[in-house]
Amino acid sequence: MAFSSSRSLLKHVIISFLFSITIIISHVNGCFTSIFSFGDSLADTGNLLQLALSQSSKLAHSDFPPYGRTFFGYPTGRCSDGRLVIDFIAEGFGLPFLPPYFGDENGRPKKFEKGVNFAVVGATALDDVFFKDRGIKNPSTNVSLGVELGFFKDALSYLCSSSSDCKELLRNSLIVMGEIGGNDYNHAFLQGINPEEIREFVPLVAQTIASAINELIELGAVTFLVPGNLPIGCSPAYLTYFQGSDKTEYDPLTGCITWLNHFSQYHNEFLQKKLDQIRKLHPHVNIIYADYYNIAMRFYHSHDQFGFTKTITACCGAGGEYNYSSSMACGDPPLRTSCNDPPSYVSWDGVHYTETSYRWISQAVLEELYNNPYINSLCLPLTVTWHAH
């Protein structure tokens, strides 16, 4: 597993070892004063829920039980049974969970001095009009990365009083750019758009993410975590939609659809090229690419190592080979119950992962962040306890 092609063999060994143990990290202080997060349902900590409540709109299926059952005990708007990667990252840096931008007081969080989350379930990188022009419907929202940037700029007016103050704030903050872009492809794939046409979206999506990063750099941000896309060919939703495909298209070791995973890799390679371009233009900026794809593929190749017994079957679903149905999603009545042991499943609802999966992903990401020389220089000494399985 590699986070970038420039990582040394020693780094591969360290990260591989991480997956054979349980890491207990005493949270570190002094690294960042706040975290700002953009993205979609992999990172939304309640924005779509709060928007629905404030606008008296129909709640999403993820706003009902059994969502949140593992950690919070009730639905929070997170698309999982518990915490997300962004939650574990905040914990890892000694910061509170990021409040959704649309929160408790006049539609805004009461306090977001320690950071705020702009991610929205269903959000895309490209603007909504791009998809409407192609007959692609977003069933969740019309929010795009550009709209989230608008939210962010609005929040700055609450957080800092001058350009220099804002630059100081952002210089001491971690910016988490997603994951974003997955829905640009999900909505199209699952609505029957030709895969070759969807492939043409990739350069546009990567450029949109890069443009957003450049805009944030101009505002003063210097440290970014940019996740790649997950292996969609292992998703119960995709496996159900493309069920009956040529058996040669499946990986015999994992059961995943190979060509869909190749698509995820194509996106990730394109995105990394854009990040390299930004690094050359802004050598003072720290951009850490989080290789969600290769982290997650470990779940499918070495599931016993992580305690997973079900890798391509959803914990909460309507039955079938992959326990997923687009016509009856988890949280829709009567699907208000789930499997008895979510930690043994990779997938929570066929589209999103379980808290256990997100915890494993976050551990690898945090290790990468802690080992970044710039971030390491900011942090107080880190105490790590390792326990072999």
Side-chain angles (χ1 to χ4, degrees):
M1 179 187 66
F3 283 87
S4 72
S5 58
S6 63
R7 294 290 185 258
S8 66
L9 177 61
L10 177 60
K11 188 68 173 184
H12 285 272
V13 173
I14 291 173
I15 297 300
S16 296
F17 179 66
L18 170 67
F19 284 103
S20 66
I21 58 173
T22 298
I23 175 175
I24 301 174
I25 302 176
S26 300
H27 65 245
V28 292
N29 296 307
C31 302
F32 302 105
T33 58
S34 54
I35 299 175
F36 297 103
S37 171
F38 302 86
D40 54 27
S41 57
L42 297 186
D44 187 352
T45 55
N47 276 311
L48 189 66
L49 170 60
Q50 294 297 336
L51 281 169
L53 292 173
S54 65
Q55 298 172 3
S56 300
S57 302
K58 181 181 178 181
L59 295 177
H61 63 90
S62 55
D63 300 329
F64 295 94
Y67 285 85
R69 59 165 282 188
T70 296
F71 182 79
F72 299 97
Y74 56 89
T76 62
R78 290 169 173 80
C79 292
S80 182
D81 59 313
R83 289 162 290 184
L84 311 176
V85 173
I86 188 62
D87 295 313
F88 289 115
I89 289 174
E91 285 184 325
F93 284 108
L95 295 170
F97 293 151
L98 300 190
Y101 176 62
F102 295 96
D104 300 324
E105 186 176 313
N106 299 320
R108 300 290 188 273
K110 292 179 180 178
K111 295 181 179 179
F112 47 46
E113 290 80 6
K114 299 293 184 181
V116 63
N117 194 343
F118 304 98
V120 178
V121 172
T124 54
L126 301 173
D127 290 337
D128 191 50
V129 65
F130 174 88
F131 300 101
K132 286 183 176 178
D133 288 346
R134 289 159 179 77
I136 301 169
K137 181 181 179 181
N138 187 330
S140 302
T141 183
N142 60 0
V143 171
S144 65
L145 182 54
V147 173
E148 292 181 10
L149 278 174
F151 297 156
F152 172 76
K153 292 174 184 177
D154 180 55
L156 285 182
S157 65
Y158 293 86
L159 293 170
C160 43
S161 57
S162 67
S163 175
S164 60
D165 286 344
C166 289
K167 287 183 181 295
E168 179 67 18
L169 169 69
L170 295 179
R171 187 161 47 247
N172 296 309
S173 299
L174 173 66
I175 310 296
V176 182
M177 294 299 299
E179 181 273 343
I180 189 72
N183 286 324
D184 297 65
Y185 314 130
N186 293 341
H187 299 322
F189 271 122
L190 300 178
Q191 291 174 38
I193 303 300
N194 187 297
E196 289 304 313
E197 181 180 347
I198 302 172
R199 190 178 177 87
E200 295 175 0
F201 298 176
V202 173
L204 302 175
V205 169
Q207 180 57 51
T208 299
I209 296 170
S211 296
I213 293 172
N214 281 320
E215 191 169 346
L216 290 164
I217 290 171
E218 292 300 316
L219 291 171
V222 297
T223 307
F224 295 84
L225 175 67
V226 186
N229 280 1
L230 291 159
I232 60 175
C234 303
S235 161
Y238 274 94
L239 287 164
T240 300
Y241 184 83
F242 289 101
Q243 194 168 3
S245 300
D246 185 343
K247 293 302 179 183
T248 62
E249 296 178 345
Y250 291 81
D251 181 339
L253 297 177
T254 65
C256 305
I257 298 177
T258 305
W259 71 268
L260 283 167
N261 279 352
H262 287 166
F263 185 94
S264 294
Q265 290 175 302
Y266 177 64
H267 164 90
N268 292 339
E269 290 165 3
F270 217 102
L271 175 61
Q272 289 179 80
K273 290 177 182 178
K274 289 294 180 182
L275 298 182
D276 285 338
Q277 292 173 6
I278 298 173
R279 292 185 183 106
K280 291 177 181 177
L281 288 173
H282 303 281
H284 69 288
V285 171
N286 303 281
I287 300 176
I288 299 96
Y289 173 71
D291 193 353
Y292 278 15
Y293 180 92
N294 281 307
I295 298 171
M297 283 307 298
R298 294 290 298 270
F299 304 158
Y300 305 100
H301 285 291
S302 307
H303 57 87
D304 290 343
Q305 192 173 345
F306 305 95
F308 294 127
T309 59
K310 302 288 186 180
T311 56
I312 55 175
T313 302
C315 172
C316 182
E321 183 172 352
Y322 304 104
N323 197 29
Y324 176 83
S325 171
S326 59
S327 61
M328 187 180 294
C330 177
D332 288 340
L335 279 181
R336 298 287 168 83
T337 59
S338 63
C339 66
N340 293 326
D341 54 343
S344 67
Y345 285 72
V346 173
S347 176
W348 165 245
D349 59 9
V351 178
H352 310 97
Y353 284 17
T354 59
E355 179 184 271
T356 299
S357 299
Y358 287 135
R359 180 193 291 275
W360 281 114
I361 292 172
S362 69
Q363 286 178 359
V365 172
L366 282 167
E367 181 77 359
E368 179 72 5
L369 287 167
Y370 292 147
N371 281 309
N372 178 271
Y374 174 78
I375 294 176
N376 187 267
S377 69
L378 295 177
C379 300
L380 297 176
L382 172 65
T383 301
V384 182
T385 303
W386 308 88
H387 294 283
H389 285 318

